[in-house]
Amino acid sequence: MAKKSNNPTNALINRNFIIRVLEFPKENHVKNTKLTSANKLSNYLDDEEIKIKLFNKILDGGKDKYTFLIRSRLKIDFQSK
């Protein structure tokens, strides 16, 4: 059974969105797509403020899908469930 989140924002994001991360590596040119959780998204981002800014944008907006490009090395898709 999954552990309950102590962060209500992460729980809300995980409940309503599927998060897909696409990394663009410099060396081998093989794209690497992974599904992740709101909490583990910090592993891909350098700054916690960027994560908070993304979460605020998708929670305040009314769209079904959001795509963000981070420093031309990372593409993050938020797809509503």
Side-chain angles (χ1 to χ4, degrees):
M1 184 164 181
K3 182 180 175 185
K4 188 167 181 157
S5 175
N6 59 357
N7 185 329
T9 304
N10 286 352
L12 183 64
I13 296 290
N14 289 335
R15 190 177 324 118
N16 295 312
F17 292 92
I18 296 171
I19 305 171
R20 184 173 290 115
V21 177
L22 175 64
E23 293 181 280
F24 298 102
K26 295 179 181 177
E27 301 89 38
N28 57 7
H29 304 291
V30 176
K31 294 178 183 179
N32 189 8
T33 304
K34 294 183 180 179
L35 293 177
T36 189
S37 67
N39 189 35
K40 291 182 182 178
L41 189 60
S42 299
N43 297 340
Y44 297 99
L45 299 174
D46 300 332
D47 190 5
E48 190 74 17
E49 290 180 20
I50 295 173
K51 182 176 111 171
I52 293 168
K53 185 188 273 188
L54 296 179
F55 286 177
N56 287 335
K57 192 167 199 165
I58 65 169
L59 290 175
D60 292 339
K63 297 182 184 177
D64 290 336
K65 184 174 181 179
Y66 291 89
T67 300
F68 300 100
L69 295 173
I70 310 292
R71 295 185 183 98
S72 71
R73 66 169 184 83
L74 194 64
K75 179 180 173 185
I76 303 171
D77 289 325
F78 291 88
Q79 177 71 44
S80 67
K81 290 184 179 179

